[in-house]
Amino acid sequence: MRIAVDALPINNFSGRNVLGGHLRNLAAAGKGRHRYHVLHHAGNGDIRRDLGDHVEWVQCVDAATGSHWARRLWWQRTRMQKQLDAIGADLLLSTSGALVPGVTTPQMVLVQNPWCFFPQFHAGPADRLKARLQRHGYAKAQRKAAAMLYLSDYMARIYAENSGAMPQQGATVLVGVDDRMFAAAAAAPLPGFAERAPKIVLVSVMTPHKSVEDVIDALALLHSRGVDARLALVGPWSDAAYRASIEARIARLGLASAVEIAGKVTDDVLMDHYRRARVFCLLSRCESFGIPAVEAQVFGTPCVVANVCAPPEIAGPGGAVVPAGAIALAADALQPLLSDADAWGAASSRALQNAERFRWERLSGPISDFIDRWRPA
């Protein structure tokens, strides 16, 4: 059977991780039975991998069309079906969370992004229009797609609430941690409580909906309680103005010597942050999955996350979950993990156990099973 994969919407690191991991598994599972045709644009050609001669990479459009959602939508509506007919596709895997418009080929939809359900993060008319179109598209996919593949149970719930309908077929399909991280964690004994600095690590793209200021405020509260904790902010900044506001907050609270702004780092440096910190903390208000929290848990580092979107079910079993915006409760959760060896040891053990759920080889079965059962009409 021929399966087309619409990779045109894949324009960030998390999307690359999701598609790359699942496609590698699907290619291995379907070798000799299925052929995959991955449609991408000139700007995301770095997703191409040698997955065997039964995976074909097809560049369809230029970078400008592929990267801009409105231009991409128009190309999909007017040109995609012709491309699928040329391939002879039996199924299309959509990675946008919605049905690809203008396509009659049956579609299975990968559900990744909750942004449109959070109006507080829609900055102006263009964002509000995009969010409204997404919610409409998501509802249509929930009712009409051949299968819905949700990255978390949270996404399955919010799609059902948005549409008032259950899918024809649906399954939760988790995201895995890169195998190299598991290998690196196993290469040497992990440091224990005493060998780690009293450090919090936050790994993310730093953008306003990540609520970095909440972690800064929790750190300030810990200092007022006599807990001499430090914080590392690891990851690129999407907005120079937001970085400036965080730096001003750090200075105003007298935390300049306690906060490291590391920015974007290499994989080796990232893994060292995970290995040497006592706790990971991300209090994001809108999180599609939360893979950095699970990466930290691979290194035995427990997590504190906010009770929104997917992180409570993804990372919560390996740490603590606190209400979003509840700074005192966040500090209460962080304090024992920074100061109490027994509490940290118990949480670290849970973190390691939880991380085992996210080995890539365990995760693509629901997609592969659906493809194997599919029979074209």
Side-chain angles (χ1 to χ4, degrees), residues 82-119:
K82 185 179 294 186
Q83 186 81 51
L84 298 177
D85 291 342
I87 291 168
D90 300 293
L91 268 174
L92 172 65
L93 173 60
S94 166
T95 61
S96 69
L99 295 170
V100 178
V103 166
T104 58
T105 300
Q107 299 185 49
M108 46 186 175
V109 176
L110 189 60
V111 176
Q112 304 185 65
N113 188 2
W115 172 83
C116 70
F117 300 114
F118 290 84

PDB file of all heavy atoms in Angstrom, residues 82-119:
ATOM      1  N   LYS A  82      -3.684  16.374  -6.861  1.00  0.00           N
ATOM      2  CA  LYS A  82      -2.972  15.992  -8.087  1.00  0.00           C
ATOM      3  C   LYS A  82      -1.672  15.272  -7.742  1.00  0.00           C
ATOM      4  O   LYS A  82      -1.294  14.277  -8.382  1.00  0.00           O
ATOM      5  CB  LYS A  82      -2.708  17.227  -8.937  1.00  0.00           C
ATOM      6  CG  LYS A  82      -2.072  16.924 -10.293  1.00  0.00           C
ATOM      7  CD  LYS A  82      -1.851  18.201 -11.101  1.00  0.00           C
ATOM      8  CE  LYS A  82      -3.178  18.827 -11.480  1.00  0.00           C
ATOM      9  NZ  LYS A  82      -2.987  20.000 -12.390  1.00  0.00           N
ATOM     10  N   GLN A  83      -0.983  15.768  -6.703  1.00  0.00           N
ATOM     11  CA  GLN A  83       0.257  15.127  -6.265  1.00  0.00           C
ATOM     12  C   GLN A  83      -0.027  13.719  -5.742  1.00  0.00           C
ATOM     13  O   GLN A  83       0.698  12.763  -6.038  1.00  0.00           O
ATOM     14  CB  GLN A  83       0.913  15.968  -5.171  1.00  0.00           C
ATOM     15  CG  GLN A  83       2.278  15.494  -4.728  1.00  0.00           C
ATOM     16  CD  GLN A  83       3.378  15.939  -5.667  1.00  0.00           C
ATOM     17  OE1 GLN A  83       3.490  17.107  -5.996  1.00  0.00           O
ATOM     18  NE2 GLN A  83       4.191  14.996  -6.130  1.00  0.00           N
ATOM     19  N   LEU A  84      -1.084  13.568  -4.976  1.00  0.00           N
ATOM     20  CA  LEU A  84      -1.437  12.259  -4.416  1.00  0.00           C
ATOM     21  C   LEU A  84      -1.843  11.284  -5.511  1.00  0.00           C
ATOM     22  O   LEU A  84      -1.514  10.093  -5.447  1.00  0.00           O
ATOM     23  CB  LEU A  84      -2.569  12.422  -3.400  1.00  0.00           C
ATOM     24  CG  LEU A  84      -2.247  13.282  -2.170  1.00  0.00           C
ATOM     25  CD1 LEU A  84      -3.479  13.421  -1.292  1.00  0.00           C
ATOM     26  CD2 LEU A  84      -1.097  12.706  -1.379  1.00  0.00           C
ATOM     27  N   ASP A  85      -2.558  11.774  -6.520  1.00  0.00           N
ATOM     28  CA  ASP A  85      -2.946  10.913  -7.640  1.00  0.00           C
ATOM     29  C   ASP A  85      -1.721  10.420  -8.391  1.00  0.00           C
ATOM     30  O   ASP A  85      -1.659   9.259  -8.826  1.00  0.00           O
ATOM     31  CB  ASP A  85      -3.886  11.664  -8.579  1.00  0.00           C
ATOM     32  CG  ASP A  85      -5.257  11.927  -7.973  1.00  0.00           C
ATOM     33  OD1 ASP A  85      -5.599  11.252  -6.988  1.00  0.00           O
ATOM     34  OD2 ASP A  85      -5.960  12.822  -8.480  1.00  0.00           O
ATOM     35  N   ALA A  86      -0.720  11.303  -8.537  1.00  0.00           N
ATOM     36  CA  ALA A  86       0.500  10.902  -9.236  1.00  0.00           C
ATOM     37  C   ALA A  86       1.244   9.816  -8.470  1.00  0.00           C
ATOM     38  O   ALA A  86       1.851   8.908  -9.056  1.00  0.00           O
ATOM     39  CB  ALA A  86       1.394  12.123  -9.446  1.00  0.00           C
ATOM     40  N   ILE A  87       1.185   9.894  -7.151  1.00  0.00           N
ATOM     41  CA  ILE A  87       1.819   8.881  -6.305  1.00  0.00           C
ATOM     42  C   ILE A  87       1.017   7.581  -6.301  1.00  0.00           C
ATOM     43  O   ILE A  87       1.562   6.494  -6.176  1.00  0.00           O
ATOM     44  CB  ILE A  87       1.954   9.417  -4.853  1.00  0.00           C
ATOM     45  CG1 ILE A  87       2.990  10.544  -4.801  1.00  0.00           C
ATOM     46  CG2 ILE A  87       2.293   8.308  -3.870  1.00  0.00           C
ATOM     47  CD1 ILE A  87       2.983  11.312  -3.497  1.00  0.00           C
ATOM     48  N   GLY A  88      -0.291   7.705  -6.458  1.00  0.00           N
ATOM     49  CA  GLY A  88      -1.186   6.560  -6.294  1.00  0.00           C
ATOM     50  C   GLY A  88      -1.441   6.257  -4.834  1.00  0.00           C
ATOM     51  O   GLY A  88      -1.568   5.089  -4.437  1.00  0.00           O
ATOM     52  N   ALA A  89      -1.528   7.329  -4.018  1.00  0.00           N
ATOM     53  CA  ALA A  89      -1.645   7.166  -2.575  1.00  0.00           C
ATOM     54  C   ALA A  89      -2.982   6.552  -2.176  1.00  0.00           C
ATOM     55  O   ALA A  89      -4.042   6.981  -2.643  1.00  0.00           O
ATOM     56  CB  ALA A  89      -1.472   8.512  -1.889  1.00  0.00           C
ATOM     57  N   ASP A  90      -2.929   5.547  -1.284  1.00  0.00           N
ATOM     58  CA  ASP A  90      -4.135   4.949  -0.708  1.00  0.00           C
ATOM     59  C   ASP A  90      -4.575   5.679   0.553  1.00  0.00           C
ATOM     60  O   ASP A  90      -5.759   5.705   0.884  1.00  0.00           O
ATOM     61  CB  ASP A  90      -3.876   3.482  -0.361  1.00  0.00           C
ATOM     62  CG  ASP A  90      -3.487   2.662  -1.571  1.00  0.00           C
ATOM     63  OD1 ASP A  90      -4.342   2.488  -2.453  1.00  0.00           O
ATOM     64  OD2 ASP A  90      -2.327   2.211  -1.643  1.00  0.00           O
ATOM     65  N   LEU A  91      -3.597   6.254   1.272  1.00  0.00           N
ATOM     66  CA  LEU A  91      -3.846   6.954   2.527  1.00  0.00           C
ATOM     67  C   LEU A  91      -2.938   8.176   2.584  1.00  0.00           C
ATOM     68  O   LEU A  91      -1.836   8.168   2.038  1.00  0.00           O
ATOM     69  CB  LEU A  91      -3.522   6.065   3.728  1.00  0.00           C
ATOM     70  CG  LEU A  91      -4.600   5.210   4.374  1.00  0.00           C
ATOM     71  CD1 LEU A  91      -3.966   4.315   5.438  1.00  0.00           C
ATOM     72  CD2 LEU A  91      -5.695   6.073   4.991  1.00  0.00           C
ATOM     73  N   LEU A  92      -3.397   9.210   3.293  1.00  0.00           N
ATOM     74  CA  LEU A  92      -2.576  10.389   3.552  1.00  0.00           C
ATOM     75  C   LEU A  92      -2.495  10.584   5.061  1.00  0.00           C
ATOM     76  O   LEU A  92      -3.519  10.612   5.751  1.00  0.00           O
ATOM     77  CB  LEU A  92      -3.187  11.635   2.909  1.00  0.00           C
ATOM     78  CG  LEU A  92      -2.521  12.973   3.275  1.00  0.00           C
ATOM     79  CD1 LEU A  92      -1.088  13.030   2.765  1.00  0.00           C
ATOM     80  CD2 LEU A  92      -3.339  14.148   2.720  1.00  0.00           C
ATOM     81  N   LEU A  93      -1.276  10.722   5.588  1.00  0.00           N
ATOM     82  CA  LEU A  93      -1.077  11.095   6.983  1.00  0.00           C
ATOM     83  C   LEU A  93      -0.913  12.608   7.052  1.00  0.00           C
ATOM     84  O   LEU A  93       0.073  13.166   6.550  1.00  0.00           O
ATOM     85  CB  LEU A  93       0.156  10.404   7.561  1.00  0.00           C
ATOM     86  CG  LEU A  93       0.571  10.838   8.983  1.00  0.00           C
ATOM     87  CD1 LEU A  93      -0.549  10.568   9.981  1.00  0.00           C
ATOM     88  CD2 LEU A  93       1.860  10.161   9.408  1.00  0.00           C
ATOM     89  N   SER A  94      -1.889  13.292   7.639  1.00  0.00           N
ATOM     90  CA  SER A  94      -1.819  14.736   7.849  1.00  0.00           C
ATOM     91  C   SER A  94      -1.147  15.001   9.185  1.00  0.00           C
ATOM     92  O   SER A  94      -1.509  14.405  10.200  1.00  0.00           O
ATOM     93  CB  SER A  94      -3.217  15.338   7.850  1.00  0.00           C
ATOM     94  OG  SER A  94      -3.187  16.661   8.365  1.00  0.00           O
ATOM     95  N   THR A  95      -0.178  15.921   9.214  1.00  0.00           N
ATOM     96  CA  THR A  95       0.536  16.234  10.453  1.00  0.00           C
ATOM     97  C   THR A  95       0.098  17.558  11.063  1.00  0.00           C
ATOM     98  O   THR A  95       0.701  18.024  12.024  1.00  0.00           O
ATOM     99  CB  THR A  95       2.051  16.280  10.192  1.00  0.00           C
ATOM    100  OG1 THR A  95       2.330  17.324   9.235  1.00  0.00           O
ATOM    101  CG2 THR A  95       2.563  14.957   9.646  1.00  0.00           C
ATOM    102  N   SER A  96      -0.970  18.163  10.525  1.00  0.00           N
ATOM    103  CA  SER A  96      -1.377  19.497  10.960  1.00  0.00           C
ATOM    104  C   SER A  96      -2.455  19.486  12.029  1.00  0.00           C
ATOM    105  O   SER A  96      -2.827  20.542  12.537  1.00  0.00           O
ATOM    106  CB  SER A  96      -1.908  20.290   9.756  1.00  0.00           C
ATOM    107  OG  SER A  96      -3.140  19.743   9.313  1.00  0.00           O
ATOM    108  N   GLY A  97      -2.998  18.320  12.362  1.00  0.00           N
ATOM    109  CA  GLY A  97      -4.118  18.254  13.300  1.00  0.00           C
ATOM    110  C   GLY A  97      -5.469  18.396  12.635  1.00  0.00           C
ATOM    111  O   GLY A  97      -6.503  18.299  13.298  1.00  0.00           O
ATOM    112  N   ALA A  98      -5.467  18.646  11.322  1.00  0.00           N
ATOM    113  CA  ALA A  98      -6.713  18.813  10.563  1.00  0.00           C
ATOM    114  C   ALA A  98      -6.602  18.032   9.262  1.00  0.00           C
ATOM    115  O   ALA A  98      -5.527  17.597   8.863  1.00  0.00           O
ATOM    116  CB  ALA A  98      -6.961  20.291  10.267  1.00  0.00           C
ATOM    117  N   LEU A  99      -7.740  17.858   8.609  1.00  0.00           N
ATOM    118  CA  LEU A  99      -7.725  17.275   7.279  1.00  0.00           C
ATOM    119  C   LEU A  99      -7.058  18.244   6.305  1.00  0.00           C
ATOM    120  O   LEU A  99      -7.281  19.453   6.371  1.00  0.00           O
ATOM    121  CB  LEU A  99      -9.150  16.993   6.809  1.00  0.00           C
ATOM    122  CG  LEU A  99      -9.932  15.934   7.591  1.00  0.00           C
ATOM    123  CD1 LEU A  99     -11.389  15.949   7.164  1.00  0.00           C
ATOM    124  CD2 LEU A  99      -9.325  14.553   7.405  1.00  0.00           C
ATOM    125  N   VAL A 100      -6.251  17.719   5.411  1.00  0.00           N
ATOM    126  CA  VAL A 100      -5.681  18.560   4.368  1.00  0.00           C
ATOM    127  C   VAL A 100      -6.819  18.974   3.438  1.00  0.00           C
ATOM    128  O   VAL A 100      -7.543  18.123   2.917  1.00  0.00           O
ATOM    129  CB  VAL A 100      -4.583  17.802   3.590  1.00  0.00           C
ATOM    130  CG1 VAL A 100      -4.033  18.674   2.466  1.00  0.00           C
ATOM    131  CG2 VAL A 100      -3.458  17.379   4.533  1.00  0.00           C
ATOM    132  N   PRO A 101      -7.025  20.274   3.208  1.00  0.00           N
ATOM    133  CA  PRO A 101      -8.184  20.723   2.425  1.00  0.00           C
ATOM    134  C   PRO A 101      -8.067  20.327   0.958  1.00  0.00           C
ATOM    135  O   PRO A 101      -6.981  20.226   0.398  1.00  0.00           O
ATOM    136  CB  PRO A 101      -8.140  22.243   2.586  1.00  0.00           C
ATOM    137  CG  PRO A 101      -6.702  22.555   2.862  1.00  0.00           C
ATOM    138  CD  PRO A 101      -6.196  21.403   3.667  1.00  0.00           C
ATOM    139  N   GLY A 102      -9.226  20.093   0.341  1.00  0.00           N
ATOM    140  CA  GLY A 102      -9.267  19.796  -1.071  1.00  0.00           C
ATOM    141  C   GLY A 102      -8.808  18.400  -1.441  1.00  0.00           C
ATOM    142  O   GLY A 102      -8.624  18.114  -2.625  1.00  0.00           O
ATOM    143  N   VAL A 103      -8.659  17.524  -0.459  1.00  0.00           N
ATOM    144  CA  VAL A 103      -8.136  16.177  -0.700  1.00  0.00           C
ATOM    145  C   VAL A 103      -9.252  15.152  -0.528  1.00  0.00           C
ATOM    146  O   VAL A 103      -9.996  15.188   0.467  1.00  0.00           O
ATOM    147  CB  VAL A 103      -6.976  15.876   0.266  1.00  0.00           C
ATOM    148  CG1 VAL A 103      -6.630  14.397   0.281  1.00  0.00           C
ATOM    149  CG2 VAL A 103      -5.751  16.694  -0.119  1.00  0.00           C
ATOM    150  N   THR A 104      -9.395  14.245  -1.480  1.00  0.00           N
ATOM    151  CA  THR A 104     -10.393  13.178  -1.387  1.00  0.00           C
ATOM    152  C   THR A 104      -9.788  11.849  -0.926  1.00  0.00           C
ATOM    153  O   THR A 104     -10.522  10.949  -0.533  1.00  0.00           O
ATOM    154  CB  THR A 104     -11.070  12.970  -2.754  1.00  0.00           C
ATOM    155  OG1 THR A 104     -10.079  12.654  -3.741  1.00  0.00           O
ATOM    156  CG2 THR A 104     -11.817  14.229  -3.177  1.00  0.00           C
ATOM    157  N   THR A 105      -8.477  11.719  -0.979  1.00  0.00           N
ATOM    158  CA  THR A 105      -7.810  10.517  -0.464  1.00  0.00           C
ATOM    159  C   THR A 105      -8.094  10.386   1.030  1.00  0.00           C
ATOM    160  O   THR A 105      -8.022  11.377   1.762  1.00  0.00           O
ATOM    161  CB  THR A 105      -6.285  10.622  -0.695  1.00  0.00           C
ATOM    162  OG1 THR A 105      -6.030  10.741  -2.088  1.00  0.00           O
ATOM    163  CG2 THR A 105      -5.563   9.402  -0.151  1.00  0.00           C
ATOM    164  N   PRO A 106      -8.441   9.204   1.541  1.00  0.00           N
ATOM    165  CA  PRO A 106      -8.686   9.038   2.985  1.00  0.00           C
ATOM    166  C   PRO A 106      -7.484   9.492   3.810  1.00  0.00           C
ATOM    167  O   PRO A 106      -6.328   9.267   3.410  1.00  0.00           O
ATOM    168  CB  PRO A 106      -8.941   7.539   3.126  1.00  0.00           C
ATOM    169  CG  PRO A 106      -9.410   7.100   1.777  1.00  0.00           C
ATOM    170  CD  PRO A 106      -8.663   7.949   0.792  1.00  0.00           C
ATOM    171  N   GLN A 107      -7.779  10.108   4.946  1.00  0.00           N
ATOM    172  CA  GLN A 107      -6.705  10.688   5.755  1.00  0.00           C
ATOM    173  C   GLN A 107      -6.731  10.180   7.190  1.00  0.00           C
ATOM    174  O   GLN A 107      -7.787  10.011   7.791  1.00  0.00           O
ATOM    175  CB  GLN A 107      -6.843  12.212   5.788  1.00  0.00           C
ATOM    176  CG  GLN A 107      -6.741  12.876   4.429  1.00  0.00           C
ATOM    177  CD  GLN A 107      -6.773  14.390   4.538  1.00  0.00           C
ATOM    178  OE1 GLN A 107      -6.051  14.993   5.328  1.00  0.00           O
ATOM    179  NE2 GLN A 107      -7.632  15.018   3.725  1.00  0.00           N
ATOM    180  N   MET A 108      -5.543   9.955   7.724  1.00  0.00           N
ATOM    181  CA  MET A 108      -5.363   9.797   9.161  1.00  0.00           C
ATOM    182  C   MET A 108      -4.641  11.053   9.640  1.00  0.00           C
ATOM    183  O   MET A 108      -3.769  11.586   8.943  1.00  0.00           O
ATOM    184  CB  MET A 108      -4.574   8.534   9.508  1.00  0.00           C
ATOM    185  CG  MET A 108      -3.339   8.283   8.693  1.00  0.00           C
ATOM    186  SD  MET A 108      -2.593   6.680   9.082  1.00  0.00           S
ATOM    187  CE  MET A 108      -1.267   6.671   7.839  1.00  0.00           C
ATOM    188  N   VAL A 109      -5.020  11.555  10.803  1.00  0.00           N
ATOM    189  CA  VAL A 109      -4.596  12.882  11.241  1.00  0.00           C
ATOM    190  C   VAL A 109      -3.812  12.773  12.532  1.00  0.00           C
ATOM    191  O   VAL A 109      -4.293  12.204  13.521  1.00  0.00           O
ATOM    192  CB  VAL A 109      -5.820  13.804  11.439  1.00  0.00           C
ATOM    193  CG1 VAL A 109      -5.392  15.160  11.991  1.00  0.00           C
ATOM    194  CG2 VAL A 109      -6.564  13.983  10.111  1.00  0.00           C
ATOM    195  N   LEU A 110      -2.602  13.334  12.526  1.00  0.00           N
ATOM    196  CA  LEU A 110      -1.764  13.388  13.718  1.00  0.00           C
ATOM    197  C   LEU A 110      -2.055  14.696  14.447  1.00  0.00           C
ATOM    198  O   LEU A 110      -1.916  15.779  13.880  1.00  0.00           O
ATOM    199  CB  LEU A 110      -0.288  13.307  13.307  1.00  0.00           C
ATOM    200  CG  LEU A 110       0.744  13.128  14.406  1.00  0.00           C
ATOM    201  CD1 LEU A 110       0.507  11.837  15.189  1.00  0.00           C
ATOM    202  CD2 LEU A 110       2.149  13.123  13.803  1.00  0.00           C
ATOM    203  N   VAL A 111      -2.444  14.600  15.708  1.00  0.00           N
ATOM    204  CA  VAL A 111      -2.932  15.735  16.501  1.00  0.00           C
ATOM    205  C   VAL A 111      -1.838  16.172  17.467  1.00  0.00           C
ATOM    206  O   VAL A 111      -1.480  15.432  18.383  1.00  0.00           O
ATOM    207  CB  VAL A 111      -4.205  15.338  17.270  1.00  0.00           C
ATOM    208  CG1 VAL A 111      -4.664  16.472  18.175  1.00  0.00           C
ATOM    209  CG2 VAL A 111      -5.305  14.952  16.288  1.00  0.00           C
ATOM    210  N   GLN A 112      -1.324  17.409  17.271  1.00  0.00           N
ATOM    211  CA  GLN A 112      -0.164  17.824  18.048  1.00  0.00           C
ATOM    212  C   GLN A 112      -0.332  19.135  18.810  1.00  0.00           C
ATOM    213  O   GLN A 112       0.298  19.306  19.849  1.00  0.00           O
ATOM    214  CB  GLN A 112       1.047  17.992  17.106  1.00  0.00           C
ATOM    215  CG  GLN A 112       1.391  16.776  16.286  1.00  0.00           C
ATOM    216  CD  GLN A 112       2.661  16.979  15.490  1.00  0.00           C
ATOM    217  OE1 GLN A 112       3.739  17.126  16.068  1.00  0.00           O
ATOM    218  NE2 GLN A 112       2.550  17.006  14.175  1.00  0.00           N
ATOM    219  N   ASN A 113      -1.126  20.076  18.327  1.00  0.00           N
ATOM    220  CA  ASN A 113      -0.989  21.464  18.763  1.00  0.00           C
ATOM    221  C   ASN A 113      -2.265  22.018  19.391  1.00  0.00           C
ATOM    222  O   ASN A 113      -3.283  22.145  18.710  1.00  0.00           O
ATOM    223  CB  ASN A 113      -0.605  22.317  17.549  1.00  0.00           C
ATOM    224  CG  ASN A 113      -0.253  23.737  17.931  1.00  0.00           C
ATOM    225  OD1 ASN A 113      -0.255  24.117  19.098  1.00  0.00           O
ATOM    226  ND2 ASN A 113       0.061  24.544  16.926  1.00  0.00           N
ATOM    227  N   PRO A 114      -2.236  22.410  20.676  1.00  0.00           N
ATOM    228  CA  PRO A 114      -3.446  22.949  21.324  1.00  0.00           C
ATOM    229  C   PRO A 114      -3.563  24.471  21.266  1.00  0.00           C
ATOM    230  O   PRO A 114      -4.476  25.041  21.863  1.00  0.00           O
ATOM    231  CB  PRO A 114      -3.265  22.498  22.781  1.00  0.00           C
ATOM    232  CG  PRO A 114      -1.778  22.564  22.988  1.00  0.00           C
ATOM    233  CD  PRO A 114      -1.159  22.161  21.657  1.00  0.00           C
ATOM    234  N   TRP A 115      -2.662  25.146  20.550  1.00  0.00           N
ATOM    235  CA  TRP A 115      -2.580  26.607  20.609  1.00  0.00           C
ATOM    236  C   TRP A 115      -3.913  27.293  20.346  1.00  0.00           C
ATOM    237  O   TRP A 115      -4.269  28.275  21.021  1.00  0.00           O
ATOM    238  CB  TRP A 115      -1.538  27.083  19.588  1.00  0.00           C
ATOM    239  CG  TRP A 115      -1.482  28.565  19.397  1.00  0.00           C
ATOM    240  CD1 TRP A 115      -0.805  29.476  20.162  1.00  0.00           C
ATOM    241  CD2 TRP A 115      -2.134  29.328  18.366  1.00  0.00           C
ATOM    242  NE1 TRP A 115      -0.980  30.748  19.677  1.00  0.00           N
ATOM    243  CE2 TRP A 115      -1.793  30.696  18.569  1.00  0.00           C
ATOM    244  CE3 TRP A 115      -2.952  28.990  17.292  1.00  0.00           C
ATOM    245  CZ2 TRP A 115      -2.253  31.708  17.737  1.00  0.00           C
ATOM    246  CZ3 TRP A 115      -3.416  30.004  16.461  1.00  0.00           C
ATOM    247  CH2 TRP A 115      -3.073  31.345  16.689  1.00  0.00           C
ATOM    248  N   CYS A 116      -4.701  26.816  19.409  1.00  0.00           N
ATOM    249  CA  CYS A 116      -5.927  27.525  19.017  1.00  0.00           C
ATOM    250  C   CYS A 116      -6.976  27.535  20.118  1.00  0.00           C
ATOM    251  O   CYS A 116      -7.937  28.312  20.050  1.00  0.00           O
ATOM    252  CB  CYS A 116      -6.503  26.939  17.732  1.00  0.00           C
ATOM    253  SG  CYS A 116      -7.210  25.286  17.910  1.00  0.00           S
ATOM    254  N   PHE A 117      -6.805  26.692  21.137  1.00  0.00           N
ATOM    255  CA  PHE A 117      -7.786  26.620  22.225  1.00  0.00           C
ATOM    256  C   PHE A 117      -7.454  27.576  23.374  1.00  0.00           C
ATOM    257  O   PHE A 117      -8.127  27.555  24.410  1.00  0.00           O
ATOM    258  CB  PHE A 117      -7.868  25.185  22.757  1.00  0.00           C
ATOM    259  CG  PHE A 117      -8.288  24.182  21.713  1.00  0.00           C
ATOM    260  CD1 PHE A 117      -7.401  23.203  21.286  1.00  0.00           C
ATOM    261  CD2 PHE A 117      -9.539  24.224  21.139  1.00  0.00           C
ATOM    262  CE1 PHE A 117      -7.770  22.274  20.318  1.00  0.00           C
ATOM    263  CE2 PHE A 117      -9.919  23.312  20.166  1.00  0.00           C
ATOM    264  CZ  PHE A 117      -9.030  22.336  19.759  1.00  0.00           C
ATOM    265  N   PHE A 118      -6.421  28.405  23.207  1.00  0.00           N
ATOM    266  CA  PHE A 118      -5.988  29.313  24.268  1.00  0.00           C
ATOM    267  C   PHE A 118      -6.013  30.750  23.756  1.00  0.00           C
ATOM    268  O   PHE A 118      -4.992  31.268  23.291  1.00  0.00           O
ATOM    269  CB  PHE A 118      -4.583  28.924  24.754  1.00  0.00           C
ATOM    270  CG  PHE A 118      -4.564  27.637  25.514  1.00  0.00           C
ATOM    271  CD1 PHE A 118      -4.488  26.422  24.845  1.00  0.00           C
ATOM    272  CD2 PHE A 118      -4.641  27.633  26.898  1.00  0.00           C
ATOM    273  CE1 PHE A 118      -4.485  25.232  25.540  1.00  0.00           C
ATOM    274  CE2 PHE A 118      -4.640  26.447  27.606  1.00  0.00           C
ATOM    275  CZ  PHE A 118      -4.560  25.239  26.929  1.00  0.00           C
ATOM    276  N   PRO A 119      -7.175  31.432  23.814  1.00  0.00           N
ATOM    277  CA  PRO A 119      -7.296  32.776  23.233  1.00  0.00           C
ATOM    278  C   PRO A 119      -6.362  33.798  23.852  1.00  0.00           C
ATOM    279  O   PRO A 119      -6.048  34.809  23.209  1.00  0.00           O
ATOM    280  CB  PRO A 119      -8.771  33.128  23.477  1.00  0.00           C
ATOM    281  CG  PRO A 119      -9.246  32.189  24.537  1.00  0.00           C
ATOM    282  CD  PRO A 119      -8.454  30.955  24.385  1.00  0.00           C
TER     283      PRO A 119
END
